[in-house]
Amino acid sequence: MRHHARVGSPEHLPLVPIARGQGAWLHDFDGRRYLDGISSWWTNLFGHANPRINAALREQLKTLEHVMLAGFTHRPVVELSERLSALTGGVLGHAFYASDGASATEIALKMSFHYWRNVGRPDKAEFLCLAGGYHGETVGALAVTDVAIFKDAYAPLVRHAGRVLPSPDARLAEPGETPINVARHATAALERHLQEHGERTAALIIEPLVQGAAGMVMHDPEYLRLARALCDRHEVHLICDEIAVGCGRTGTFFAHEQASIQPDLMCLSKGISGGYLPLSVVLCRDAIYEAFLDDSTARAFLHSHSYTGNPLACRAALATLDIFSEDDVLAANHIRAQQIATALEPLAAHPQVRHVRQRGMIAAFDVATDDPHFSRRFYRAALENEALIRPIGNTVYWMPPYIVDAAEIAHLGAATARALEQALA
């Protein structure tokens, strides 16, 4: 709030009142519009006020807005669970619902920890995460988050059950190395750790292919392939946090598909409801589910949320999945991704731009500047150029909705170029 109040300061962040959204655009009360280049914090897939999702929600409102999912069930949550499981080829056969990404992380961590206790291996209680990894800001999720600005203030509250291992960040490649080499170096560190501590390790949690909050850090699928094999060898759960990278963001519906592997637990949120309503889900393998089936309540998975499996949110998610299948969205996104790559080319030639990178519908580059206020200067300049682009530190990124056309992608590129010049001036 201090940043909003300090008009004229280099730290100033304008507070923008939005009147309405339409397609890829947000409109304020003064008649200005902004291309939503970051999908409203990575949530919106098919544009604002999408008519098909709107229609599905209106229809659902006629029958059921909410019922508790304790001892009850309803059609949208059953259908959504079945369709999500089918997208994993049935490997992840069970779904546990919450409302946000951090809650999904909490569920996955607790489920893994409790599974090992239920199968007689209570010593497996530690978790592994990657340098720069982000999995939410609740206390449990912070134990596997390695972003200091979120974690440091709450360090006394955080259980020290998380170990940070090297990231396979492709930017770390030495001259002559490829992203695959970097991935192999990082998995060598994972292997060494598991050889020594595997008996105490419950799970490894990963943002597959793209570590979002670290600055759109991208890595080769080789890391996932090797990590999956190491987790199998040492009997460690692999948790794929697909909260930001799932639902088509990286070019496949789930990012981990590009490594031809399956996790033991998977977290989904953000885009799963099309950006309409809070919804998250943890999918797990049958063996994990079955470990909680017991006459003893102490062995049950005692975790609940009041709005678990909310029918409206599930119906929005079903409408979202319908659009994917009816419009062949992933194929269309390959064309959009090529257009995004073309729009990036002029920026790559800028003398202060570094590490231009792209994975599907996510594109990013780093800016070489010592200005501590660069991200805010750029954000303000982008708004002036009719684009919502919010850098992470010195990393500028695009993650637009899947309905942007060629002209809108060109606008995003031009707005970014102008904002970059203004921010560096």
Side-chain angles (χ1 to χ4, degrees), residues 45-354:
L45 299 190
F46 298 118
H48 300 278
N50 183 281
R52 283 188 274 182
I53 302 176
N54 287 356
L57 287 173
R58 282 194 295 268
E59 187 65 26
Q60 184 60 41
L61 280 168
K62 296 177 183 178
T63 56
L64 181 66
E65 80 300 336
H66 184 63
V67 65
M68 65 181 184
L69 212 64
F72 290 84
T73 191
H74 52 81
R75 183 171 182 170
V77 78
V78 172
E79 184 178 349
L80 180 58
S81 302
E82 291 176 346
R83 289 178 66 174
L84 289 175
S85 178
L87 287 170
T88 72
V91 172
L92 304 183
H94 299 274
F96 197 101
Y97 289 88
S99 58
D100 58 85
S103 296
T105 297
E106 299 278 347
I107 289 163
L109 297 178
K110 288 176 64 177
M111 202 174 280
S112 175
F113 170 87
H114 201 165
Y115 167 87
W116 292 116
R117 190 179 77 167
N118 278 358
V119 299
R121 303 185 67 181
D123 290 342
K124 291 178 79 67
E126 294 182 357
F127 295 94
L128 305 179
C129 62
L130 299 183
Y134 174 87
H135 303 284
E137 295 164 39
T138 49
V139 172
L142 284 175
V144 290
T145 287
D146 184 49
V147 181
I149 194 170
F150 299 125
K151 188 171 183 177
D152 286 356
Y154 308 104
L157 299 178
V158 177
R159 182 172 182 264
H160 298 290
R163 302 291 184 92
V164 179
L165 296 179
S167 167
D169 181 353
R171 296 175 301 177
L172 300 176
E174 298 289 343
E177 287 191 326
T178 67
I180 291 179
N181 296 131
V182 179
R184 290 172 179 166
H185 296 327
T187 46
L190 171 63
E191 183 174 22
R192 289 191 296 270
H193 184 90
L194 289 177
Q195 285 172 344
E196 187 174 351
H197 304 289
E199 289 297 314
R200 298 197 299 273
T201 303
L204 165 67
I205 185 167
I206 301 175
E207 298 162 86
L209 302 185
V210 183
Q211 294 177 261
M216 301 302 156
V217 170
M218 299 185 185
H219 60 259
D220 192 272
E222 178 76 355
Y223 184 84
L224 297 176
R225 286 191 286 269
L226 296 175
R228 175 70 275 181
L230 288 169
C231 287
D232 287 341
R233 187 185 311 165
H234 294 276
E235 298 182 283
V236 168
H237 290 145
L238 176 63
I239 303 172
C240 281
D241 175 353
E242 298 247 5
I243 291 163
V245 298
C247 303
R249 286 290 180 198
T250 65
T252 48
F253 192 84
F254 301 126
H256 68 260
E257 293 178 58
Q258 295 178 46
S260 299
I261 60 114
Q262 291 277 15
D264 300 296
L265 298 119
M266 177 167 57
C267 303
L268 292 172
S269 190
K270 290 193 180 290
I272 191 60
S273 73
Y276 265 67
L277 289 163
L279 181 68
S280 64
V281 59
V282 176
L283 300 174
C284 74
R285 291 180 183 256
D286 292 353
I288 294 175
Y289 170 81
E290 289 162 2
F292 294 94
L293 296 178
D294 195 270
D295 292 334
S296 170
T297 303
R299 292 172 62 88
F301 188 61
L302 302 176
H303 189 102
S304 61
H305 293 268
S306 299
Y307 284 92
T308 288
N310 173 259
L312 290 168
C314 290
R315 189 66 182 272
L318 288 168
T320 297
L321 294 181
D322 287 342
I323 295 173
F324 269 103
S325 59
E326 293 167 7
D327 292 5
D328 198 5
V329 169
L330 295 177
N333 277 358
H334 287 306
I335 297 172
R336 290 189 183 93
Q338 292 168 5
Q339 294 169 342
I340 287 171
T342 299
L344 274 173
E345 288 176 2
L347 291 160
H350 192 284
Q352 287 176 259
V353 167
R354 306 284 188 272

